[in-house]
Amino acid sequence: MDLDLEQYRVTPGHDFKLASISPDDTGGIQKSDRSKDAFNATLREIWDLQERLYAEGEQALLLVLQAMDTAGKDSTIRKVASGINPQGCRVYSFKVPSANELARDFLWRVHAQVPRKGHIGIFNRSHYEDVLVVRVKGLAPIEVVDKRYEQINEFEQLLHETGTRVIKIMLHISKEYQRERLLRRLRREDKLWKFNPGDLKERARWDDYMEAYEIMLNRCSTEAAPWYVVPAENRWYRNLVIGGLIRDTLTEMNPELPDLDFDPADYPPESIV
Ligand code: AMP
Ligand code: MG
């Protein structure tokens, strides 16, 4: 399956516009048995690569997920993590900071959750909330927010230099699509728990959020930690793209099985009694 993942990467130094990526793009691919097979094959590749990452124990992968409500962060995690051995993976969901967290710098709680060597970490929301919701709602002075982009870049550079690969994914949807998803939540008894009347206030500021996302994408997509804007309205395609990004990143990291400190030849079958 011919997937061009690079088209979704925000290139540093270019003036990126969200409008350049269509939220319902499927890269010219149709949903079919083939696309399903391709996704399952990707999951199997991820499984093998993760085992090597775990065995090697030298590098880590951090996947950051950001999106507006209803864009599918939860289902992305459910789908993509189904190809990852839970033993080497942790998902962390960032909520409104506690008083204890707010008494520290904004990266303090984030740094504490980065994956250990050998692991894959998935952030459901992240330090980027501190330049998104915080910017839009004015929860901190704009001068403070403006400094955070560079502070984030330096933090991620540190992670990169110390063996943690960071890939950041924005699940891209339209305001109309969000409306459909909100209506679905209200229609379905089993999804009502996900409806939060407060989310409508964020929806009302859609354009402000898109502006904050665009600023963030432009200032924080770096060589060390690139941002990808993934069309998320077709979930099967979203899964295929994100699975592909994880597989390609792990492949590039090329984890190696560790050197043995024994000679297997010293252990012929008859020696194991
Ligand atoms: P949910 O992901 O639906 O459980 O909601 C978590 C909420 O926490 C969202 O409304 C986020 O905007 C909010 N949140 C996460 N991080 C921060 C932060 N650093 N500052 C303010 N709100 C945050
Ligand atoms: Mg929510």
Side-chain angles (χ1 to χ4, degrees), residues 110-158:
V110 180
H111 209 159
Q113 302 303 335
V114 302
R116 58 185 301 149
K117 290 186 196 305
H119 282 223
I120 296 178
I122 302 177
F123 283 180
N124 179 353
R125 305 184 187 272
S126 66
H127 41 303
Y128 285 100
E129 291 290 322
D130 293 280
V131 294
L132 291 169
V133 62
V134 172
R135 185 182 183 104
V136 170
K137 291 213 220 160
L139 301 177
I142 189 69
E143 306 82 59
V144 171
V145 174
D146 264 330
K147 282 199 178 143
R148 288 183 175 167
Y149 301 97
E150 202 44 47
Q151 290 164 344
I152 288 173
N153 289 345
E154 284 172 12
F155 167 60
E156 293 175 354
Q157 182 70 31
L158 165 77

Side-chain angles (χ1 to χ4, degrees), residues 223-240:
E223 292 299 336
W227 266 108
Y228 291 87
V229 175
V230 174
E233 293 189 0
N234 294 290
R235 296 182 168 216
W236 62 271
Y237 184 65
R238 169 204 74 191
N239 297 339
L240 207 52

Side-chain angles (χ1 to χ4, degrees), residues 192-211:
L192 271 175
W193 67 275
K194 284 195 154 202
F195 186 81
N196 174 2
D199 291 347
L200 295 179
K201 284 205 196 117
E202 312 310 317
R203 173 172 168 78
R205 300 171 116 163
W206 186 273
D207 294 343
D208 295 337
Y209 270 103
M210 291 307 112
E211 192 190 346

